Amino acid sequence: MIKVAINGYGTIGKRVADAVAAQPDMEIVGVSKTRPSGEAYIANERGYPLYIADITKKGAFDEAGIAVAGDVEGMLRQCDVVVDATPGGVGKANKALYELYNVKAIWQGGEKHEIAGISFNSSCNYQDAYGADFVRVVSCNTTGLCRIIKLADEAYGVKSVFATMVRRGSDPGGIKKGPVDAIVLNPVSIPSHHGPDLNTVLPSIDIVTTAMIVPTTFMHMHVIRMELAQEATREGVLDLIRKHPRIGIVKGSTGITSTAELRELASDMGRPRGDLWESCVFEDSVAVGKNNELYLFQAIHQEADVVVENVDAIRAMMKAADSAEESIRMTNEALGLKAI
Amino acid sequence: MIKVAINGYGTIGKRVADAVAAQPDMEIVGVSKTRPSGEAYIANERGYPLYIADITKKGAFDEAGIAVAGDVEGMLRQCDVVVDATPGGVGKANKALYELYNVKAIWQGGEKHEIAGISFNSSCNYQDAYGADFVRVVSCNTTGLCRIIKLADEAYGVKSVFATMVRRGSDPGGIKKGPVDAIVLNPVSIPSHHGPDLNTVLPSIDIVTTAMIVPTTFMHMHVIRMELAQEATREGVLDLIRKHPRIGIVKGSTGITSTAELRELASDMGRPRGDLWESCVFEDSVAVGKNNELYLFQAIHQEADVVVENVDAIRAMMKAADSAEESIRMTNEALGLKAI
Amino acid sequence: MIKVAINGYGTIGKRVADAVAAQPDMEIVGVSKTRPSGEAYIANERGYPLYIADITKKGAFDEAGIAVAGDVEGMLRQCDVVVDATPGGVGKANKALYELYNVKAIWQGGEKHEIAGISFNSSCNYQDAYGADFVRVVSCNTTGLCRIIKLADEAYGVKSVFATMVRRGSDPGGIKKGPVDAIVLNPVSIPSHHGPDLNTVLPSIDIVTTAMIVPTTFMHMHVIRMELAQEATREGVLDLIRKHPRIGIVKGSTGITSTAELRELASDMGRPRGDLWESCVFEDSVAVGKNNELYLFQAIHQEADVVVENVDAIRAMMKAADSAEESIRMTNEALGLKAI
Amino acid sequence: MIKVAINGYGTIGKRVADAVAAQPDMEIVGVSKTRPSGEAYIANERGYPLYIADITKKGAFDEAGIAVAGDVEGMLRQCDVVVDATPGGVGKANKALYELYNVKAIWQGGEKHEIAGISFNSSCNYQDAYGADFVRVVSCNTTGLCRIIKLADEAYGVKSVFATMVRRGSDPGGIKKGPVDAIVLNPVSIPSHHGPDLNTVLPSIDIVTTAMIVPTTFMHMHVIRMELAQEATREGVLDLIRKHPRIGIVKGSTGITSTAELRELASDMGRPRGDLWESCVFEDSVAVGKNNELYLFQAIHQEADVVVENVDAIRAMMKAADSAEESIRMTNEALGLKAI
């Protein structure tokens, strides 16, 4: 059993914890939290040993009736791999600690590529992380781009990509961040940083991206245009997507045209937290233009799609599965993930 | 086993179906849908026989690969009780059909009291529905008011109530209704209809209500002021709430101050669809004024709180449990509902 | 003086009325309304004779203290040109009436091209409307596309366009339409209808468009990618835009990155209703790629940009200005429109 | 002419500047800004001398083409009164500076009562500020409560007040603050601080308030219940409101039921920035209960209602008008404010 610790039991961390706990070859040895929030109660309820960054704050947890197992150093002593899911930019400062305790570490896309030197997406470069000590799982948006672009590139060759990301302003559980009523260019300059970030995983792709933020919480939406090197058909592309283990299709017959309806469907399907770990391509949007341009909309669940990638990264780093296919199959089966 | 049909497998109907299916003494014999939507897929997946209102539309379901068991009349022939969860105002037209097929029927709060003559809340008037043929379960907001007001009235006597309901504009899965950026008085006149609606269940309560709609999807929020006849203390009120099987307490130590964080907690707890069947009183809001006025905030999950009431109404009508306590206990246990 | 009537004094109609009234060569002879709303009060206050569609409803206006001048037929008898600003799809039914009263008519983009046979944008095809009896001013989004694409095409030649329109869910004064929390693909299929609509004005442009709706009220946002036939530079493009009378530049030094801040600026500038009649290109977004692809973001004020186009259309139809340049200059001067 | 400086030319400051500039007995001698934003351009355009807090940042303004007149100290040397409209909590630190330059100063409601010792509302306690050196104008919400409660108290005697404030999450021009989709109790405890804040102006009122934040930008909404000492009628209350110079009535015949429609009306009326300086009571909401409880909804424009109060405070402090009536009349006339 691979012993996994989660440093930062928040939006991503709590999901990775549950996904890891569901794997037959992994176990959670601890999760960490800085304050006695609702999520700390949940950690207790799930039976995940709860560690805190600053042990002098144990009193606050005691008062709230939340059991504390020790400090983060104590957690690191128990684990083979730590998944750092602290807020963007914080993870960097933790690297020295992970080195000190000699544990393998995974960071999220909020950190820079340089923190690990390997940026990871299981459908693209599983072998790069095989046996590695430090890996960075790319952000939810880059993960979504990686999956579909790699698929198209292998089948047809991708000459260029132009993608627009329309991003949610806040996660559903958030109350501080806006906007309330605005479309915010973020960044206002073109291209955005998402293209270069994709290139940390797929260096040879010629890509320009733009991004904006809108007042919604449920998912991001990508509009993608790819110029293909070889001739493609709409049906051919849909067939490829249907076979991909991490890309689902929102069928036209469902009548679903929005992120809200899609999350409702996931909720109705009984997915934990209504999570969509797969990218969701809208069937009716897929179109091929006269010069082999491929167009499509895909919705990306910002809280969920990287969760399964973290699980695969653990397996790659621990050499617990020899190929991406094997790890993806194991991860998906353990979660009951059959792409929509 | 009580045979239950759900006429209208939408936001409320699909939840009642799952709650009924979870009961040891009930089974779903059919659910109905008018169009081959995402929810129709879910009905198939859950194994609920799917009936359609207009059998000439079966072709559209066939095309979408959705199995249809027959028409609504066929469904009514199978059941002891039908739960009408069609959109507000539509249920009225179905009454003749239910009479024709001689089935007991439950309507939701979108219909008028007169449709059934009995308006129901299991914590208030279970016995009124005992053996009845027609019952109306009051709306989500009235359900929330009934629970807390009845509790206070029994313990202290309630001289008057003033309540403001700040309502969500749309359910999370909705995309058509607004507002996008407005506070809408609905109605603009004071008092709103919610007071008289409460009086269909609790006739002797002196109540004035106001209501508005805001651009959010997760829950309604109630601000309640009650003048009590007898002396009360904050702790005494909190103790009463803690013992109530359908009212939960949002502890101050969780740091939760909003509907969004509350739904996140429910989701983290593994509740199906993140549903909060219980009213959620904010611990830190409960206050008693110098003249025994009781103040509190409670959040009401509009999609969920009536679900358990429908289950209890079925038991009352079928004389399957002799008391409210017994039915509530059975319903809660089957769902794993331990109020937060 | 050209005598102008406005049929439908709503979001667009009231703005066209004020813009017409501000012109030295035009006057408003009447505006129409179906109900005694807040806008009807405003019509009275501005001194626009108010006509109503159904004269039997005059009593309701009398009760509200709103003066009524007569019925719509009466209004048509007074005018040279009627601007039909009724809700999309309604205008079609009015055509027979306009023919009966022998008045020239302008429709908005909610109607189909065929209603008039001439779709209009003053920067593109002023001469097509010269002396015409029936003209359709294209929608706010198509207007925004027309201006910038025509500009680029004249200067560099446009080989192809790919544009995504991120649209507001409701106008600021609306309370019914959503979505509250969703990104809605509208349409879900690619391409959207906006490309063909642009081709009614600029037939030779090769264009693919996509569109979605988000929960905001202030403006639409366009992401545009154009392949240019000739070499272009960022500065060259910015210079062209600076000279365009109907395209403004949101300077980087203002720090403005959103629709909300842009409308705040317009409001601070004292623009009536905070209206932005010009397209608003974000300076920092303008970029030229290695193969002469031009990229930019532009914000479009959905309530305002077509207003000035309607004024120019009137002049063209009445042969009151011989060239687009002349009419645009007159319209802009009368409104004090100096593009941002 | 009273020489007025505005320290902090933002949401409130820019409005106070324009209102002051419109007065026959006042002039703007300077406004201050920390960064070269869109508002700094506007200051230049309006001809208000622009001063900056940190003169070493002048280069950034020069680059942006914005003229700077000097530093804040220079501005203070020119003025009789400074209106501090810096962000809440910042104003406190400026007091020593104002004392050093021996200028009278007005703070906004974001500062504590103690900063000035006099909390001000022109309809309630104009004389308290007469000749004073330091005055605090209470917040937008407290201003709205003061006006209506004082009116009711003088006419009928107010025994107790219970008010709920449903507050906007962000101003329309804001893009950072949320919530996006939540009702946030702020504070979660009852009572909120608004009651004690009202008591700084009207000490004898017995008041309990609650407050929440919702995802909208246009206005706050107040639900108010007052127990009156003497008998009242709905018509009597409406008559009193009609005569009040700073409370308007949203007539039922306009069909307006929301904040969004109300701001649209203000915009249509040609109000600068669509500002509603008056409290807006909804005619159809006003109701009197059987025990002389007065109920009503009022909308409060958070950016505007305190603007006119600041102007009156200047006159009181400078002894430029002997009575509240006189100052209010002068302020309203100069702005063309005839309450809706």
Side-chain angles (χ1 to χ4, degrees), chain C residues 55-90:
Chain C
I55 199 71
T56 67
K57 292 192 179 154
K58 187 166 177 298
F61 287 76
D62 291 346
E63 255 177 69
I66 297 170
V68 169
D71 61 11
V72 166
E73 285 78 3
M75 179 175 81
L76 294 177
R77 280 189 211 101
Q78 319 288 325
C79 71
D80 302 314
V81 190
V82 60
V83 175
D84 186 301
T86 55
V90 173

Side-chain angles (χ1 to χ4, degrees), chain C residues 278-289:
Chain C
E278 66 269 51
S279 307
C280 302
V281 172
F282 286 79
E283 182 182 33
D284 287 354
S285 76
V286 176
V288 177

Side-chain angles (χ1 to χ4, degrees), chain A residues 14 36-39 41-42 46 64 172-173 175 181 218 251 253-254 257-258 260-261 264-265 267-270 273, chain B residues 14 36-39 41-42 46 64 172-173 175 181 218 251 253-254 257-258 260-261 264-265 267-270 273:
Chain A
K14 66 190 178 190
S37 65
E39 281 160 348
Y41 282 98
I42 297 297
R46 295 274 162 104
I175 59 173
D181 185 352
F218 291 124
K251 284 188 207 162
S253 59
T254 60
T257 63
S258 68
E261 295 159 304
E264 178 89 355
L265 181 70
S267 218
D268 285 350
M269 288 166 69
R273 297 183 174 90
Chain B
K14 67 189 176 189
S37 64
E39 281 159 347
Y41 282 98
I42 297 297
R46 294 277 161 101
I175 58 171
D181 185 351
F218 292 124
K251 284 188 206 160
S253 59
T254 59
T257 63
S258 69
E261 296 159 304
E264 178 89 355
L265 181 71
S267 217
D268 284 350
M269 288 166 68
R273 297 184 175 88

Side-chain angles (χ1 to χ4, degrees), chain B residues 176-233:
Chain B
K176 289 193 183 157
K177 279 173 59 180
V180 171
D181 185 351
I183 299 173
V184 183
L185 304 176
N186 187 275
V188 67
S189 57
I190 298 177
S192 73
H193 70 280
H194 299 87
D197 197 43
L198 178 113
N199 290 147
T200 64
V201 177
L202 299 172
S204 66
I205 297 294
D206 178 12
I207 181 169
V208 169
T209 54
T210 73
M212 65 187 82
I213 297 177
V214 299
T216 185
T217 70
F218 292 124
M219 301 180 90
H220 302 304
M221 184 66 75
H222 292 185
V223 192
I224 303 180
R225 178 193 191 269
M226 296 190 231
E227 290 182 288
L228 304 178
Q230 295 168 39
E231 203 168 321
T233 63

Side-chain angles (χ1 to χ4, degrees), chain C residues 11 14-15 18 36-39 41-42 45-46 63-64 66 172-175 180-181 217-218 251 253-258 260-261 264-265 267-270 272-274 303, chain D residues 11 14-15 18 36-39 41-42 45-46 63-64 66 172-175 180-181 217-218 251 253-258 260-261 264-265 267-270 272-274 303:
Chain C
T11 302
K14 66 191 177 189
R15 287 172 161 89
D18 289 356
S37 64
E39 281 159 347
Y41 282 98
I42 297 297
E45 202 166 280
R46 296 275 163 102
E63 255 177 69
I66 297 170
I175 59 172
V180 171
D181 186 351
T217 70
F218 292 124
K251 284 188 205 159
S253 58
T254 59
I256 292 177
T257 63
S258 69
E261 296 159 304
E264 178 88 356
L265 181 71
S267 217
D268 285 350
M269 288 166 68
R273 297 185 175 90
E303 303 166 298
Chain D
T11 303
K14 67 191 176 188
R15 288 172 162 89
D18 289 356
S37 64
E39 282 159 347
Y41 282 98
I42 298 296
E45 202 166 280
R46 295 276 162 101
E63 255 177 69
I66 297 170
I175 59 172
V180 172
D181 185 352
T217 69
F218 292 124
K251 284 189 206 160
S253 59
T254 58
I256 293 176
T257 64
S258 69
E261 295 158 306
E264 178 88 356
L265 182 70
S267 218
D268 284 349
M269 288 166 68
R273 296 183 175 90
E303 302 165 300

